[in-house]
């Protein structure tokens, strides 16, 4: 073989190897972007991928690291743009693994419990790998409820539950709950806890207006204004379900409210439709039978699908299984809890009508996931249609945001001033005013208004009028005035 022939064959082989490498590189998946959100109890790292990719995630010690391997992938994202502030991650390193894979190493400042899953493309994103770094023992809220306040609320909840379970009659469970309630004496004068839930967050922007306004940003501004109003009102205390730009699963939002012993849960959103014409505010309470109108049904479905965008579909989390099984408790929502929701919703709707046009003149009912807490009155408020250009502009206006927040708070405050929880400061103040006029009586397990009225020789209607009661619902531990006959 001549040197020329050998050289040609060598060149031809080199070109074939080069072509194979280029083809292999072209076929590799790409990490197009990396996004990080930090929450009080976890951090979430999302990889935007050009195609579905096999991944391996594991931890290493000494020093503490989390390793994320992506098969047949290369990095196109700029990791230097990641803001690590508030997360458990101190540094991100990357490198090539086995010649054609990508290795991402997260250097950690604290112990984490990692969880990861992949998501299929949707209307907003392509293939994604989601890595959650959960912090053991941390609370999901910045300022969790004080243990003493939690104990008092537990006693109230136990007493109310015992009364419901006993069917209004007396029994061992009711007696034990009454004893527990008495242990909180002298009067606790606790704050009424309002759980404020700004919808969406993190990788879920919610609806986007024609001018590019993101729902998650607008509702956070309104929620923070509401938080300030609640905090400044004596006898009230706010709990922010989401206090930054990160995502929280729909079921977890109600779970946080229950853990914080909230008296009321309000979820704030901005509406959207496939037409720019609809406008106005709406208030929703839970409907056990689904939606009460076609619009409400469509809206409930679109809001509930946010879990798929956020990547917390119940099928992906074993932790959520027990919560789903507890769905039987939702039967309770059509009793006192749902009645309270509808009553408060009406008052909030009246106040919203003073600062904005109302899309519907009554409280709508739909099957929103965030309203499905069996023992907390809950509302979902659509502050306006972000899909309407004029309303989008108003929703960005700080003065309009303040007006919406004030309307929501005024509705809540009016209700709780008339119907304060028994152990609250507002109830104590009302009881003090009444104690000098007529006889006072504290509700015991098994009591009914008709029994109390007969026992004290006064008409039921007079008893209701003296205590500003709109219905027959009374609560264990509540102090009512017995008017002089």
């Amino acid at each position: 073989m001549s040197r020329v022939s050998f050289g040609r064959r060598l060149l031809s082989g080199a070109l074939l190897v080069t072509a194979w490498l280029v083809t292999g590189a072209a076929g590799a998946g790409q990490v197009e972007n990396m996004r990080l959100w930090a929450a009080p109890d976890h951090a979430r790292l999302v990889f935007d991928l050009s195609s579905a990719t096999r991944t391996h995630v594991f931890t290493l010690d000494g020093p503490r690291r989390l390793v994320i391997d992506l098969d047949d992938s290369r990095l196109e994202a700029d990791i230097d743009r990641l803001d690590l502030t508030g997360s458990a991650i101190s540094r991100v390193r990357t490198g090539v693994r086995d010649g054609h894979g990508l290795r991402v190493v997260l250097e950690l400042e604290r112990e984490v419990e990692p969880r990861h899953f992949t998501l299929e493309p949707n209307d907003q994103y392509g293939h994604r790998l989601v890595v959650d770094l959960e912090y053991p023992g941390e609370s999901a809220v910045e300022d969790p409820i004080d243990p003493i306040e939690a104990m008092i609320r537990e006693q109230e909840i136990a007493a109310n539950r015992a009364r419901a379970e006993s069917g209004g009659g007396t029994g061992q469970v009711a007696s034990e709950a009454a004893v527990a309630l008495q242990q909180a004496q002298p009067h606790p004068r606790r704050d009424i806890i309002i759980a404020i839930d700004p919808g969406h967050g993190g990788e879920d922007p919610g609806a986007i207006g024609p001018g590019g306004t993101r729902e998650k940003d607008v509702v956070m501004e309104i929620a923070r204004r509401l938080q300030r109003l609640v905090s400044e009102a004596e006898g009230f205390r706010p709990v922010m379900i989401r206090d930054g730009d990160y995502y929280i699963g729909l079921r977890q939002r109600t779970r946080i409210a229950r853990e914080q012993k909230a008296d009321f849960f309000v979820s704030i959103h901005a509406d959207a439709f496939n037409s720019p014409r609809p406008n106005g505010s709406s208030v929703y309470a839970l409907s056990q039978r689904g939606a009460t109108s076609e619009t409400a049904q469509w809206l409930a479905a679109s809001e509930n699908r946010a879990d798929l965008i956020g990547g917390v579909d119940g099928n992906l989390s074993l932790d959520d299984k027990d919560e789903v099984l507890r769905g039987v408790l939702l039967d309770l929502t059509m009793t006192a809890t749902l009645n309270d929701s509808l009553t408060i919703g009406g008052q909030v709707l009246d106040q919203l009508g003073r600062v904005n046009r109302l899309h519907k003149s009554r409280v709508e009912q739909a099957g929103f996931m965030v309203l499905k807490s069996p023992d907390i009155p809950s509302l979902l408020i659509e502050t306006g249609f972000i899909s309407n250009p004029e309303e989008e502009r108003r929703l960005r206006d700080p003065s309009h945001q303040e007006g919406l927040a004030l309307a929501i708070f005024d509705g809540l405050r009016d209700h709780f001033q008339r119907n304060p929880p028994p152990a609250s400061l507002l109830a104590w103040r009302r009881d003090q005013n009444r104690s000098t006029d007529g006889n006072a009586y504290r509700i015991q397990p098994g009591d009914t208004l008709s029994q109390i009225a007969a026992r004290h020789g006064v008409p039921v209607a007079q008893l209701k009028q003296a205590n500003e009661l709109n219905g027959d619902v009374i609560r264990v531990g509540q102090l009512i005035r017995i008017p002089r006959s």
Side-chain angles (χ1 to χ4, degrees):
M1 181 183 298
S2 68
R3 289 184 178 180
V4 174
S5 176
F6 175 77
R8 286 176 177 173
R9 290 190 179 188
L10 185 62
L11 177 61
S12 176
L15 289 174
L16 283 173
V17 170
T18 303
W20 180 86
L21 288 173
V22 171
T23 302
Q30 297 180 12
V31 176
E32 298 173 335
N33 191 26
M34 291 170 63
R35 295 170 284 136
L36 178 67
W37 290 274
D41 64 337
H42 73 281
R44 167 165 289 184
L45 181 63
V46 178
F47 295 77
D48 290 312
L49 309 174
S50 62
S51 59
T53 304
R54 287 202 311 170
T55 60
H56 311 273
V57 179
F58 56 94
T59 57
L60 294 173
D61 293 323
R64 188 179 287 128
R65 288 153 292 163
L66 183 70
V67 180
I68 305 162
D69 286 339
L70 298 94
D71 291 353
D72 195 23
S73 299
R74 68 172 185 266
L75 182 67
E76 294 294 330
D78 182 5
I79 62 172
D80 293 333
R81 297 181 60 184
L82 280 177
D83 183 4
L84 306 180
T85 305
S87 73
I89 305 169
S90 60
R91 184 186 175 198
V92 180
R93 296 186 284 110
T94 65
V96 177
R97 184 182 66 87
D98 296 337
H100 54 82
L102 173 66
R103 169 162 289 184
V104 178
V105 180
L106 310 180
E107 296 184 3
L108 304 174
E109 297 177 338
R110 59 177 301 165
E111 180 186 357
V112 301
E113 294 178 356
R115 184 170 68 96
H116 71 282
F117 51 88
T118 57
L119 291 172
E120 297 293 324
N122 60 25
D123 294 340
Q124 293 177 306
Y125 301 107
H127 291 277
R128 284 152 293 160
L129 167 65
V130 180
V131 180
D132 282 336
L133 312 178
E134 298 178 355
Y135 309 153
E138 290 294 333
S139 172
V141 297
E142 294 283 359
D143 185 21
I145 186 172
D146 179 82
I148 301 300
E149 284 188 283
M151 182 192 69
I152 294 169
R153 281 289 287 131
E154 280 290 350
Q155 293 169 352
E156 284 185 289
I157 293 169
N160 291 333
R161 187 182 298 121
R163 182 173 182 272
E165 291 175 354
S166 65
T170 58
Q172 180 65 26
V173 176
S175 298
E176 292 175 358
V179 171
L181 189 64
Q182 290 172 3
Q183 290 175 352
Q185 300 298 325
H187 200 291
R189 307 181 204 178
R190 70 169 183 84
D191 289 336
I192 295 171
I193 301 171
I194 307 296
I196 304 171
D197 172 39
H200 307 281
E203 68 270 39
D204 172 21
I208 300 177
T213 306
R214 300 182 301 184
E215 179 182 0
K216 69 173 184 178
D217 299 329
V218 166
V219 299
M220 176 56 80
E221 288 299 318
I222 297 171
R224 284 183 171 147
R225 294 174 185 277
L226 178 58
Q227 177 191 25
R228 176 181 53 79
L229 291 170
V230 174
S231 180
E232 291 174 353
E234 192 174 10
F236 289 87
R237 178 175 178 270
V239 169
M240 290 288 281
I241 300 299
R242 173 174 75 86
D243 200 19
D245 187 16
Y246 49 85
Y247 184 80
I248 297 178
L250 299 180
R251 292 187 183 93
Q252 188 183 2
R253 293 174 193 246
T254 56
R255 187 167 67 238
I256 292 170
R258 299 186 75 227
E259 288 173 352
Q260 296 303 308
K261 314 301 178 190
D263 295 277
F264 186 78
F265 175 92
V266 55
S267 188
I268 302 175
H269 291 255
D271 218 334
F273 203 67
N274 52 17
S275 165
R277 285 180 291 182
N279 61 84
S281 302
S282 305
V283 176
Y284 289 84
L286 179 67
S287 171
Q288 219 175 12
R289 298 178 182 176
T292 54
S293 72
E294 184 177 352
T295 302
Q297 189 172 16
W298 178 86
L299 182 58
S302 68
E303 293 289 2
N304 289 342
R305 281 198 301 268
D307 251 353
L308 296 178
I309 298 173
V312 200
D313 186 346
N315 293 326
L316 298 173
S317 173
L318 294 177
D319 293 338
D320 286 340
K321 296 298 184 183
D322 289 340
E323 290 294 321
V324 175
L325 293 177
R326 292 174 192 159
V328 293
L329 295 174
L330 296 180
D331 291 340
L332 298 174
T333 58
M334 294 302 288
T335 56
T337 301
L338 183 53
N339 289 336
D340 282 348
S341 299
L342 293 170
T343 300
I344 300 172
Q347 292 173 297
V348 170
L349 197 65
D350 289 343
Q351 295 292 335
L352 284 171
R354 301 179 182 183
V355 297
N356 199 36
R357 182 182 180 276
L358 296 181
H359 184 62
K360 289 290 179 70
S361 60
R362 61 184 177 86
V363 179
E364 290 282 282
Q365 292 179 253
F368 290 107
M369 187 72 72
V370 291
L371 301 182
K372 293 184 177 181
S373 185
D375 48 5
I376 306 176
S378 307
L379 291 176
L380 185 145
I381 298 175
E382 297 285 0
T383 52
F385 277 81
I386 201 170
S387 51
N388 178 290
E390 175 60 23
E391 201 147 66
E392 177 191 20
R393 183 191 64 77
R394 296 189 72 204
L395 286 170
R396 289 198 304 259
D397 182 6
S399 62
H400 186 60
Q401 294 171 355
E402 183 74 15
L404 291 169
L406 185 59
I408 295 170
F409 178 64
D410 283 346
L412 300 181
R413 181 177 55 190
D414 288 349
H415 170 81
F416 283 110
Q417 284 178 339
R418 295 173 184 170
N419 306 279
S424 66
L425 174 65
L426 268 62
W428 178 80
R429 284 178 173 171
R430 187 185 66 177
D431 295 344
Q432 289 296 104
N433 292 334
R434 289 177 177 171
S435 62
T436 59
D437 183 15
N439 300 317
Y441 175 77
R442 191 172 295 279
I443 304 299
Q444 301 298 316
D447 280 343
T448 65
L449 276 179
S450 58
Q451 289 173 342
I452 296 170
R455 192 181 307 147
H456 293 86
V458 297
V460 173
Q462 188 177 352
L463 190 63
K464 287 183 177 181
Q465 182 179 9
N467 293 277
E468 300 178 3
L469 298 175
N470 297 322
D472 296 327
V473 177
I474 54 177
R475 294 176 173 84
V476 174
Q478 179 180 350
L479 194 69
I480 64 172
R481 185 170 68 87
I482 308 299
R484 294 187 177 91
S485 56

